[in-house]
Amino acid sequence: MTKIVLLNATPQNSPNAYLWGMVTVAEIIGQKLFTRENLITLLQAADEEGILILKKAGKLKLKRVGNKVYFRGLIELSNVCEKDCLYCGIRNSNKKITRYNLSDEEVLEAASFAYRERFGSIVVQSGEVTNERFVSRIEQLIVQIKELSNNQLGITLSLGEQTEDTYRRWFEAGAHRYLLRIESSNPELYSRLHPSDGHHPFEQRLEALKTLKKIGYQTGTGVMIGSPGQTFADLANDLLFFKTFDIDMVGMGPFIEHEDTPFGNPLRDAPTLAERFNLSLKMVAILRLMMPDINIAATTALQAIDPLGREKAVKAGANIIMPNITPGNYRNNYLLYNNKPCTDEEPEQCAGCLDARLALTDSEIGYGEWGDSKHFGKKVKG
Ligand code: SAH
Ligand code: SF4
């Protein structure tokens, strides 16, 4: 049986690294030696070496994509979900939550708000629903959002696994980016995070990502960091997966227990929330070093652990923030994990608060801009 190295295994320290003939953190970064083993070294780096990774990534971001942070107003359309991912608070088997579905008017009002506030783009996210009623509803909403914003709001979708035909219809209606996390690039870990009911195969997730790319979406993926049983090697492989898959955008964040799920209690030896947070920042920074011109989100789950989590991620290489613009009365029912922040606020409060906070990171907000992935732009131009 392969030994599972839990995420909180004792970090290697640099004097040992020399003894074993390994390269230093500075050498790995300077010479771009991003092998699996070296990525594990970076992920385990502590103290000054850990800080060095974050600083180098922050600098490289400024050089390659600038100091602008782009907003994507997040509309949590519905918490109705056909899937049963073992980690997620809105999984189908959780009977304790009240299910909701925003009305079309509420979605359009949220999109108008984003347009008025010059957010540039929105993300429509929801539990996974695959029936024709849902598919055509989304199609129409996309067209209406384009109309109400004079074609100016960029639209990202995050609506789970769908058929090629569905992805195509939504693309043709006007959505141009799609977020679908791989959750883990290790099929074995993926299968432990999902039920073995035939509806959650790893291959289906991978195929969906390939289809999105083929259709022409700017394709974003990501993983949860610190998920039950995950190893440093898994995370190193995830980073290599992003690079090989040639992703355009990423959204990664710490796994946080939700009490009404099978993973509601931390496993023995699980990394603490603080460790997951630090590791998430490190994943953001390392990926920025590996793929300097992609879009990297500073995810909300970071803010659930540290109130300044997203700003710290921006300093370490992230350039996208997704302020929640879901009408306030629904937010308490879209709890993917415990302690989700800002669930008692209205959209207006979020916008003002972010402006002030980002000023502290010396970032400028790309108001009214799509802020597309520069990486994608280059691929399209050839
Ligand atoms: N249903 C869609 C979109 C909503 S879920 C989908 O699954 O793609 C969006 C993301 O929330 C998931 O990809 C997952 O990575 C994250 N998520 C779910 N439960 C979580 C938890 N307990 N901790 C951290 N992130 C979680
Ligand atoms: Fe549904 Fe997405 Fe949660 Fe899975 S992660 S249960 S697909 S909302």
Side-chain angles (χ1 to χ4, degrees):
M1 213 174 101
T2 44
K3 186 168 170 273
I4 294 182
V5 186
L6 287 170
L7 280 174
N8 62 353
T10 317
Q12 295 158 328
N13 56 37
S14 31
N16 277 344
Y18 276 117
L19 268 181
W20 290 94
M22 287 162 75
V23 286
T24 63
V25 162
E27 283 166 345
I28 296 171
I29 299 175
Q31 297 169 43
K32 302 191 180 65
L33 304 171
F34 300 121
T35 62
R36 184 169 166 277
E37 286 65 33
N38 287 344
L39 289 172
I40 295 175
T41 303
L42 295 185
L43 288 166
Q44 293 182 325
D47 306 326
E48 287 94 62
E49 287 193 315
I51 294 168
L52 180 73
I53 299 171
L54 306 187
K55 281 198 174 149
K56 291 265 182 198
K59 268 197 184 156
L60 187 65
K61 178 188 83 167
L62 293 180
K63 198 164 144 207
R64 296 296 296 275
V65 295
N67 75 336
K68 275 196 186 161
V69 170
Y70 300 98
F71 280 176
R72 319 278 188 237
L74 175 65
I75 305 174
E76 295 161 337
L77 180 99
S78 166
N79 64 359
V80 175
C81 187
E82 294 167 2
K83 285 273 176 73
D84 226 1
C85 309
L86 299 176
Y87 42 84
C88 177
I90 63 169
R91 63 197 296 268
N92 191 278
S93 296
N94 184 6
K95 303 298 174 211
K96 289 198 183 162
I97 56 170
T98 311
R99 301 284 166 175
Y100 74 86
N101 211 333
L102 296 190
S103 67
D104 285 0
E105 292 66 40
E106 285 167 324
V107 175
L108 297 175
E109 176 42 45
S112 304
F113 170 80
Y115 182 51
R116 283 198 307 275
E117 295 287 322
R118 302 182 56 240
F119 275 13
S121 300
I122 54 163
V123 179
V124 181
Q125 193 180 74
S126 160
E128 196 174 300
V129 177
T130 53
N131 60 45
E132 173 55 30
R133 222 175 98 218
F134 181 81
V135 172
S136 63
R137 177 179 179 218
I138 297 292
E139 197 174 22
Q140 284 159 29
L141 281 171
I142 295 169
V143 172
Q144 287 171 301
I145 292 168
K146 283 287 176 189
E147 273 170 15
L148 72 81
S149 67
N150 296 318
N151 251 346
Q152 286 186 33
L153 267 184
I155 303 179
T156 306
L157 301 178
S158 176
L159 304 169
E161 291 167 11
Q162 304 284 344
T163 63
E164 176 165 349
D165 181 54
T166 298
Y167 284 150
R168 233 176 247 292
R169 280 169 64 183
W170 292 344
F171 186 72
E172 280 161 14
H176 78 296
R177 308 186 193 108
Y178 205 102
L179 291 173
L180 180 66
R181 289 186 178 177
I182 190 79
E183 313 297 358
S184 169
S185 62
N186 173 355
E188 203 262 322
L189 175 57
Y190 188 93
S191 72
R192 274 187 277 136
L193 297 175
H194 297 89
S196 51
D197 57 1
H199 298 303
H200 300 73
F202 175 78
E203 296 71 30
Q204 192 171 297
R205 179 62 54 108
L206 195 57
E207 270 316 302
L209 277 169
K210 287 183 187 162
T211 306
L212 288 165
K213 225 173 140 185
K214 183 176 80 181
I215 293 173
Y217 281 99
Q218 283 178 47
T219 308
T221 190
V223 293
M224 284 181 302
I225 296 155
S227 57
Q230 189 180 47
T231 66
F232 282 110
D234 286 329
L235 289 175
N237 286 331
D238 291 338
L239 290 166
L240 291 171
F241 169 82
F242 298 149
K243 178 92 182 159
T244 317
F245 198 81
D246 201 23
I247 59 166
D248 306 305
M249 350 181 262
V250 77
M252 310 179 273
F255 161 72
I256 303 174
E257 288 79 7
H258 185 291
E259 55 197 349
D260 299 320
T261 65
F263 290 131
N265 295 312
L267 298 185
R268 199 170 60 82
D269 292 339
T272 62
L273 284 180
E275 284 166 337
R276 290 178 220 174
F277 178 85
N278 289 333
L279 203 48
S280 301
L281 284 190
K282 206 111 60 77
M283 285 287 284
V284 164
I286 299 171
L287 190 60
R288 174 61 71 199
L289 294 168
M290 293 171 74
M291 303 188 76
D293 57 358
I294 62 169
N295 275 348
I296 303 183
T299 56
T300 314
L302 287 164
Q303 196 193 354
I305 298 181
D306 179 334
L308 282 175
R310 289 183 303 184
E311 290 76 5
K312 288 181 183 173
V314 166
K315 279 212 151 227
N319 66 330
I320 302 289
I321 286 197
M322 293 158 52
N324 196 339
I325 56 168
T326 310
N329 46 327
Y330 293 104
R331 293 187 186 191
N332 261 323
N333 290 318
Y334 197 87
L335 300 183
L336 305 171
Y337 42 80
N338 289 342
N339 291 331
K340 195 165 163 243
C342 303
T343 49
D344 53 357
E345 283 175 15
E346 288 295 338
E348 293 75 10
Q349 291 168 289
C350 286
C353 140
L354 263 167
D355 226 345
R357 292 156 65 131
L358 280 167
L360 300 174
T361 67
D362 297 328
S363 304
E364 196 188 317
I365 298 170
Y367 278 115
E369 296 179 53
W370 277 14
D372 276 341
S373 157
K374 290 199 168 33
H375 188 73
F376 181 81
K378 274 188 211 149
K379 276 196 291 194
V380 173
K381 280 190 206 130

